[in-house]
Amino acid sequence: MIGMNNKVITDEQAQFFRDNGYLILRDVLRGAEFERVRAAADELTRIGIAGGGEDYRYGKGHKTGANIFRRVEYVIDKRDECKVLLGNPFILRSVERLMGADLIPTWDSMVVKLPGEGIVVPWHRDAGTEQVGDQPIFNVDFYLDEADEDTCVWTIPGSHKWSDEQVQDFLTARPNGFSTDDAVPALMQPGDVMFHDILVVHGSPANASDKLRRVIYYEFRTAHVENEIGPHTREYIPLKQKVLLKCLELRKHADHIPSDQVAYQYHPPAPFNTVSLAPGEELPTFRYTHEKYWRA
């Protein structure tokens, strides 16, 4: 729970992340950018509550058993504000500091805990150790609403270093619902950001309060690990590099971003430095589904 540097996370913050598997950064999104992203989230939330469509996900409510809106995938494709958010220079410099210059964006989602019957998220890791190479894989979580002990994510510090057997022992010891023993609450304010390693054990209880909590998640991985072990196919890498480059371009021209903001410069090392955008190039889509590009 360390404060933000305007250009990139500090050495202290980077070490905290490596030691604990998560890092909280305060007041990262602010002003016009925060308001525009939250307005986009408001619209996605309304669509989800109304029944949604492709990419909208639901779960069984703990009170009524009804289908309750809990998540929407591929938010970068759905709203321009989410494209511009991907180009946030402080975030991208900080991601590069933690994993290297060949970063690529992978997942982009919004997770929702609705008031009264928000879905429980059991203790879990986001993926298994078989997907992790020599650099961490992690999510950048943009908080659009307050998260208190009724709605927040709870983490087990240091659990990203556990073996699969240790994780299973932890889960086996908690068979009867969500327990916060030994866990740390990620208490967040609107505009705060959390980095969390995909191997850190985390979860959240059902929300019976009258509070709404929404978080936009952008996951990042390195191109060299994707190239070597996946989980996506190799053709996925340049497609997502183009998504990042286009979002950086859109950020430069966005009317809600200060004109004097120093943009992030994406310079991945060889052999991942051959992708570029032609002048005026438009992408056919920002939605490259994981299923289509998943290795067999």
Side-chain angles (χ1 to χ4, degrees):
M1 300 176 214
I2 308 168
M4 191 193 88
N5 176 296
N6 286 328
K7 294 182 179 179
V8 67
I9 57 171
T10 65
D11 290 343
E12 179 188 13
Q13 290 169 327
Q15 191 59 52
F16 186 95
F17 173 81
R18 295 186 187 104
D19 291 342
N20 294 278
Y22 73 96
L23 174 68
I24 293 174
L25 301 162
R26 300 297 184 193
D27 198 27
V28 175
L29 286 187
R30 56 183 75 152
E33 181 168 21
F34 173 77
E35 295 302 330
R36 291 284 285 271
V37 172
R38 187 157 65 174
D42 289 344
E43 188 175 4
L44 293 172
T45 303
R46 286 193 293 270
I47 294 170
I49 292 172
E54 189 176 32
D55 301 331
Y56 288 80
R57 306 286 184 257
Y58 299 82
K60 183 180 290 187
H62 63 281
K63 290 183 178 179
T64 65
N67 278 340
I68 304 298
F69 175 48
R70 65 178 179 85
R71 186 181 183 102
V72 55
E73 305 291 353
Y74 306 111
V75 294
I76 288 173
D77 185 63
K78 292 176 173 57
R79 293 295 178 274
D80 285 348
E81 293 83 358
C82 296
K83 297 177 179 68
V84 172
L85 179 61
L86 179 63
N88 184 287
F90 169 75
I91 293 298
L92 291 173
R93 291 188 198 108
S94 299
V95 171
E96 179 176 325
R97 184 162 200 169
L98 291 169
M99 70 168 52
D102 66 330
L103 62 93
I104 60 168
T106 49
W107 269 261
D108 52 289
S109 313
M110 183 175 74
V111 173
V112 179
K113 271 197 181 296
L114 290 178
E117 205 167 10
I119 302 298
V120 63
V121 179
W123 289 112
H124 69 287
R125 279 175 161 172
D126 289 336
T129 54
E130 70 279 359
Q131 295 184 7
V132 181
D134 62 342
Q135 296 297 330
I137 300 168
F138 57 89
N139 286 297
V140 177
D141 312 340
F142 299 90
Y143 276 74
L144 306 179
D145 307 290
E146 181 181 5
D148 61 13
E149 291 195 4
D150 289 327
T151 61
C152 74
V153 167
W154 294 71
T155 66
I156 305 296
S159 57
H160 62 305
K161 300 178 182 179
W162 288 359
S163 67
D164 292 342
E165 291 75 17
Q166 286 175 293
V167 173
Q168 189 55 53
D169 288 345
F170 174 89
L171 298 177
T172 300
R174 290 160 172 76
N176 299 316
F178 190 89
S179 166
T180 58
D181 294 345
D182 306 319
V184 173
L187 304 176
M188 310 290 284
Q189 291 296 317
D192 291 348
V193 166
M194 182 167 72
F195 289 12
H196 83 261
D197 192 301
I198 66 165
L199 296 182
V200 78
V201 176
H202 62 288
S204 62
N207 180 26
S209 75
D210 60 356
K211 304 158 191 169
L212 171 67
R213 190 213 75 189
R214 295 162 301 173
V215 185
I216 289 179
Y217 290 85
Y218 290 166
E219 187 196 78
F220 293 90
R221 299 176 181 235
T222 57
H224 73 273
V225 172
E226 286 281 282
N227 185 66
E228 292 165 11
I229 64 175
H232 299 94
T233 59
R234 292 183 175 91
E235 64 181 317
Y236 180 81
I237 297 169
L239 295 173
K240 295 311 293 276
Q241 287 183 303
K242 279 209 168 189
V243 166
L244 177 55
L245 289 170
K246 189 62 180 180
C247 289
L248 288 167
E249 178 185 289
L250 291 171
R251 189 176 181 90
K252 290 180 182 178
H253 302 290
D255 61 7
H256 61 286
I257 301 302
S259 59
D260 60 349
Q261 185 175 85
V262 179
Y264 173 74
Q265 301 298 315
Y266 184 51
H267 296 301
F272 306 109
N273 59 347
T274 61
V275 175
S276 61
L277 291 175
E281 180 178 353
E282 298 296 333
L283 302 189
T285 184
F286 290 80
R287 182 182 181 274
Y288 295 102
T289 62
H290 304 290
E291 296 80 6
K292 181 177 180 179
Y293 295 95
W294 209 253
R295 297 193 189 195

